[in-house]
Amino acid sequence: MVSTLVMIVLSVTVGAPADDWSVLPGHSQLKDPQSMMTNYLLGQIAEAQKRWREAYEKRTTVEEIRQHQEFLKREFLRRIGGLPERTPLNPQVVGRLQRKGYLVEKIIFESQPRHFVTAVLFLPDPAKYQPPYAAVLVPCGHSNESKGYKEYAAFAALCASNGLAALVFDPIDQGERHQWRNPDGKFTLWGTAGHNMIGVGSILLGRNTARFEIWDGIRAIDYLQSRPDIDPQKIGCSGISGGGTQTSYLMALDPRIKAAAPGCYICSLYGRLIRENGPQDAEQNIYGQLALGMDHADYCIMRAPAPTLLLAATRDFFNIEDTWMSFRLAKRVYGRLGYPERMDLAETDTEHGFTVQLREASVRFMLRWLLGRDEPVFEPADLDVPTAAELQCTPQGEVMLLDGARSVYDLNRDYAQELKIRRENLWKTTPLEKLLERVAEIAGVRPLEDLPRPDVTVCQTVNGETATLEKLIFRPEPGIELPALIFTPKDRQPKSGVIYIHEDGKATDAGKGGPIDELVQQRKLVLAVDLRGLGETQRTGQTYFRPEYHGPDGQDFYLAYHLGKSYVGMRAEDILVVARWLKEERLPAGVPLELVSVGYLNSSALHAAVRERDLFQHIHLVRPLISWDNVVQLGFSKNRLVNTVHGALEVYDLPDLVRVLGERVTIQDPRDAMGQEWSGHL
């Protein structure tokens, strides 16, 4: 048995099955190692929920509620990166349709300079309803047809047929507003895939995809209020799914929305949604919101006591029980403010979507609270609903084909250039130690003295001819296991110790003749470790966030993001914990320590090395990302989501950390954000 293990350990070739090097089977305390990070993060979210609920129960006075509303609004805006300055809308009415019982105007406006928004305004028949009209803003859900999708257009037509104007606009990456264009000219990203790709670069800038959607909605209200045929004091907002998300955000932040009806979205981030479905796409995850205490109910609470109706479907994947829970929590706050009747809920026994019953409920609600008309509304079977083709606003069906059009990627590039200039000045004028403390704070890397000493289990020891292999498990905190391999040269004091981390796990370079074997032959003691969520604890089967674009960690990444944590920072702390253990427990006094990192883990390696600058004598980075700025500049990236740190580019970029370490760093085969070889200057 031992001889077989020796053969496996010392003679295995590169590419051998990973289970030849496995540590956890038979030794792990985890029920499912591949779900380790999911369970760990959900446990922390459960603790955050307890704190949120305790604070909620204590806020009972009007003054306390008002203070909390303002606090949440400030934090909400800060965490999405604030909002742009208002610039001229330059609206154009590019077409008109005469329909049965109402009119349609096709509109293009600029929410930011040359950043075009396509919209259609459904107007009541002036022979039946006299202007100025109350108006309902209709953000669209994740249909690629967007404003032309039959359910959304039908809602607008129902509004107009009953005396309400309705402005339906295309969100980014939907309808006529696809933002990413391939070199071959094709628009290949839409909906959630497009929003998630925008999210990667936005995170690094301290922004969120939601920022752009929110601003488009705010500017759409500006447009409505600019029209003489619209009553600027009577604005409502209602949308479903992704449109329910936008409605929730807009109603929380823009007090001009007098009546709001978000649909098929409001449930609970503390509840079943992220436990059963996982976090949704980029704009539905606000940085640190669950650690802060900002759940779905809080979008209603932030606007209390303004009239709000939750539109819900019994068989929605946005769980109906959690919808009712959030409704009750919000309604209690409305009651504390003296207006319990202004918080309401309409449920229909259907699946996800803007079904006819929810369309009718929303129109009734808007008539009641915007016009004082409390009357039944039913959608006629012969409602005249335009097609998507009839509602097209641009000549070629894409805003990015208009002259001078600027995408969200362009807007992010502009901001990235501003931040680059600011960073250069910051690093020239700020003491280094102060800068590095800020770096550690942003990434979430504590000093080594504050990190716990891990429990360490030696699972197996195998003696070979030239080296000894040990299989270990590090447990730096409850719920986290880091399986590791230690290769110790026999009969010779090691010249140095090496922490070896690889994006594909500890076994990747462990075969005979491979990089780890070469280091051992140089009389170096090597500890190869699976940092959290890698190797044996890598989650599998996660598909929502398009693994081919964002890697296998998208939903776990966003669980951490909700808690204000970065994978870069958590893994940097793992490096520090195991490095200290190796230095204190296995290396003779005076023997130096090195760090070798392969792939996207180089960001964690750099953060660990600059956090404890005396710990590693040398840091060798293989295939490092050239910079976070490159992620923003390219726009399209591959497997960089887990490598992001929220707002990092406001203070530093990866080359700044390399410069801090100076000659102790060697770089091999640098890569751009697409994983392509880079031959330029770092």
Side-chain angles (χ1 to χ4, degrees), residues 178-251:
H178 299 101
Q179 302 290 290
W180 176 259
R181 192 180 183 193
N182 285 354
D184 63 5
K186 295 180 180 178
F187 295 91
T188 55
L189 290 178
W190 70 273
T192 57
H195 297 164
N196 292 337
M197 190 62 72
I198 290 168
V200 177
S202 297
I203 286 168
L204 292 166
L205 299 170
R207 293 177 164 183
N208 187 290
T209 302
R211 175 185 189 268
F212 303 101
E213 294 185 344
I214 290 168
W215 190 240
D216 288 342
I218 288 173
R219 297 315 316 273
I221 296 174
D222 289 346
Y223 173 70
L224 285 171
Q225 291 190 319
S226 74
R227 293 182 57 115
D229 55 353
I230 300 298
D231 186 333
Q233 302 304 315
K234 295 180 179 179
I235 304 293
C237 186
S238 185
I240 289 283
S241 190
T245 307
Q246 295 173 69
T247 300
S248 299
Y249 294 168
L250 288 164
M251 73 184 193

Side-chain angles (χ1 to χ4, degrees), residues 422-436 438 651:
R422 291 187 207 172
R423 287 196 307 273
E424 290 173 353
N425 183 62
L426 184 69
W427 281 75
K428 288 177 182 177
T429 59
T430 307
L432 180 60
E433 294 303 322
K434 185 175 181 180
L435 281 168
L436 295 186
R438 188 76 181 103
V651 175

Side-chain angles (χ1 to χ4, degrees), residues 7 29 63 92 102 123 165 365 508 563 576 580 645 667:
M7 179 182 68
Q29 298 176 1
E63 182 180 359
Q92 307 171 59
Y102 64 91
L123 291 165
F365 184 79
T508 307
L563 292 164
L576 294 176
R580 177 179 59 189
V645 172
I667 293 176

Side-chain angles (χ1 to χ4, degrees), residues 289-467:
Q289 71 179 100
L290 295 187
L292 171 70
M294 188 173 76
D295 196 15
H296 282 190
D298 291 290
Y299 301 138
C300 304
I301 291 169
M302 271 187 266
R303 66 182 269 100
T308 305
L309 171 70
L310 301 189
L311 306 173
T314 306
R315 290 171 279 131
D316 201 337
F317 57 86
F318 289 107
N319 183 269
I320 189 64
E321 300 299 331
D322 285 347
T323 299
W324 274 95
M325 180 192 71
S326 288
F327 164 67
R328 291 189 63 229
L329 290 167
K331 193 173 184 69
R332 286 176 63 195
V333 173
Y334 273 67
R336 290 168 184 170
L337 295 175
Y339 298 92
E341 76 284 358
R342 294 186 180 182
M343 185 72 220
D344 208 346
L345 185 147
E347 178 181 347
T348 181
D349 189 11
T350 56
E351 297 180 348
H352 186 82
F354 214 161
T355 56
V356 62
Q357 295 94 342
L358 294 184
R359 297 197 294 269
E360 292 167 346
S362 184
V363 173
R364 292 169 189 167
F365 184 79
M366 295 299 164
L367 289 174
R368 177 183 304 126
W369 290 104
L370 295 179
L371 295 179
R373 290 167 48 194
D374 200 353
E375 58 192 54
V377 172
F378 295 99
E379 185 173 297
D382 62 347
L383 183 67
D384 185 10
V385 182
T387 65
E390 290 174 317
L391 296 177
Q392 181 175 310
C393 298
T394 60
Q396 300 180 67
E398 293 288 353
V399 294
M400 290 308 300
L401 298 179
L402 298 175
D403 289 343
R406 296 181 60 74
S407 68
V408 168
Y409 297 99
D410 293 322
L411 300 177
N412 273 347
R413 291 182 188 109
D414 289 347
Y415 187 52
Q417 184 59 34
E418 291 180 26
L419 291 183
K420 184 177 181 180
I421 295 170
R422 291 187 207 172
R423 287 196 307 273
E424 290 173 353
N425 183 62
L426 184 69
W427 281 75
K428 288 177 182 177
T429 59
T430 307
L432 180 60
E433 294 303 322
K434 185 175 181 180
L435 281 168
L436 295 186
E437 283 297 322
R438 188 76 181 103
V439 168
E441 178 185 358
I442 291 171
V445 187
R446 293 167 290 177
L448 186 52
E449 63 184 16
D450 292 344
L451 296 178
R453 296 184 180 275
D455 293 330
V456 182
T457 300
V458 178
C459 303
Q460 188 176 26
T461 302
V462 180
N463 293 309
E465 293 183 6
T466 61

Side-chain angles (χ1 to χ4, degrees), residues 3 17 30 64 93 158 170-171 198 205 219 246 334 347 375-376 444 473 515 554 577 582 586 591 593 610 648:
S3 62
L30 305 170
E64 290 170 335
V93 177
L158 187 62
D170 288 331
I198 290 168
L205 299 170
R219 297 315 316 273
Q246 295 173 69
Y334 273 67
E347 178 181 347
E375 58 192 54
I473 301 174
V577 166
L582 186 66
R586 293 301 178 88
V591 174
L593 192 59
V610 298

Side-chain angles (χ1 to χ4, degrees), residues 9 58 84 147 199 201 210 264-265 273 405 423 449 518 541 566-567:
V9 170
K58 291 178 181 177
K147 66 184 182 305
C264 293
Y265 174 65
L273 180 65
R423 287 196 307 273
E449 63 184 16
E518 290 180 7
S566 75
Y567 261 70

